Amino acid sequence: MRIETKSNIQKNKNKSYSDLLKTRQWQRKRKLILNRDKNQCLNCTSKKNLQVHHRQYQFDNIISDFVAPWNYDNKYLITLCHNCHQIGHANYKVPVININKQ
Ligand SMILES: [Zn+2]
Ligand SMILES: [Zn+2]
């Protein structure tokens, strides 16, 4: 398995990662995950400033790019409040998984 550097994650063709998170597709997926998690942080049960976290990033070898944020199986997405999300990213590195490897 090849490990991608963090800078590659921001790539996703011409759009920045923050642009991708503004899309309608992501808003729909985000809502779905928030509903599933009862609109609360899975870590501290806060209901404020909720965000959806990816437990892994997937690099698709067929398209030579990262999978769009909304194209993940729901099991890889969890609801966290802004605080827990920040702390999580500061303490753990999100693993990058290569998919469709030839
Ligand atoms: Zn929290
Ligand atoms: Zn995250």
Side-chain angles (χ1 to χ4, degrees):
M1 182 171 48
R2 211 152 47 92
I3 303 295
E4 300 297 319
T5 59
K6 206 175 180 182
S7 62
N8 283 343
I9 292 166
Q10 315 300 333
K11 194 178 65 164
N12 222 302
K13 303 285 180 222
N14 302 315
K15 283 187 170 179
S16 73
Y17 196 68
S18 58
D19 280 342
L20 292 173
L21 296 184
K22 285 176 200 145
T23 59
R24 209 177 287 166
Q25 290 107 307
W26 173 246
Q27 291 310 315
R28 200 183 304 141
K29 183 76 162 180
R30 184 181 170 277
K31 222 172 180 180
L32 201 106
I33 301 300
L34 291 184
N35 281 335
R36 183 201 63 189
D37 294 339
K38 301 183 172 61
N39 292 291
Q40 60 180 32
C41 172
L42 291 190
N43 192 51
C44 73
T45 71
S46 165
K47 291 177 187 287
K48 284 179 197 162
N49 301 318
L50 297 178
Q51 302 178 331
V52 171
H53 168 65
H54 290 77
R55 307 177 72 166
Q56 63 173 233
Y57 293 127
Q58 296 174 353
F59 187 86
D60 186 338
N61 286 281
I62 288 175
I63 60 169
S64 290
D65 203 353
F66 282 90
V67 171
W70 51 88
N71 281 337
Y72 283 71
D73 194 290
N74 291 348
K75 69 182 175 194
Y76 296 123
L77 301 170
I78 56 165
T79 302
L80 293 175
C81 72
H82 178 74
N83 267 351
C84 292
H85 199 190
Q86 294 282 99
I87 293 164
H89 275 273
N91 289 310
Y92 305 98
K93 194 178 176 340
V94 178
V96 176
I97 308 298
N98 273 267
I99 61 168
N100 295 322
K101 215 171 170 181
Q102 272 105 6

